[in-house]
Amino acid sequence: MGIRKRIYDILDPGHHDGILSKIANYIIYSLIFLNVVAIVLESLPAIRNRWQTAFYHFEVFTVMVFSVEYLMRLWCCVESPKYASSVVGRLR
């Protein structure tokens, strides 16, 4: 099995029930939840003023994680028969 297929199996929810797939999905879902919490907390002036730097660094970190995840999904999506064409499949 190639690395692209393995990454596809890990990142595609419901496609593979392995432990790495569950961990990856748990991490992504947790980051989404934490981003929502951060947005709510950042809307409170007293908290925003005290933790502004932490909110900024958390935002930069999560944008990087989500960007890497997106690029990995874009790279390995051709492993699905639905998106098998290298260019058209990625555009779909």
Side-chain angles (χ1 to χ4, degrees):
M1 175 183 313
I3 190 165
R4 187 169 66 190
K5 174 71 171 141
R6 182 69 179 128
I7 291 172
Y8 173 76
D9 288 343
I10 292 169
L11 292 179
D12 190 33
H15 176 76
H16 187 68
D17 289 332
I19 188 74
L20 286 177
S21 182
K22 289 178 183 177
I23 291 170
N25 286 318
Y26 177 76
I27 290 170
I28 295 301
Y29 297 149
S30 297
L31 282 176
I32 291 168
F33 175 76
L34 290 173
N35 268 284
V36 171
V37 170
I39 289 169
V40 170
L41 293 175
E42 200 171 10
S43 70
L44 303 170
I47 294 175
R48 180 184 57 238
N49 293 338
R50 183 169 183 196
W51 297 97
Q52 187 171 8
T53 303
F55 285 129
Y56 173 77
H57 290 297
F58 179 69
E59 181 180 350
V60 169
F61 170 74
T62 57
V63 166
M64 289 181 358
V65 170
F66 291 138
S67 296
V68 168
E69 179 212 8
Y70 178 77
L71 291 173
M72 289 172 60
R73 287 181 185 274
L74 192 61
W75 176 62
C76 70
C77 72
V78 295
E79 293 297 325
S80 169
K82 185 177 178 181
Y83 306 108
S85 175
S86 62
V87 175
V88 176
R90 286 187 173 111
L91 291 175
R92 286 175 56 197

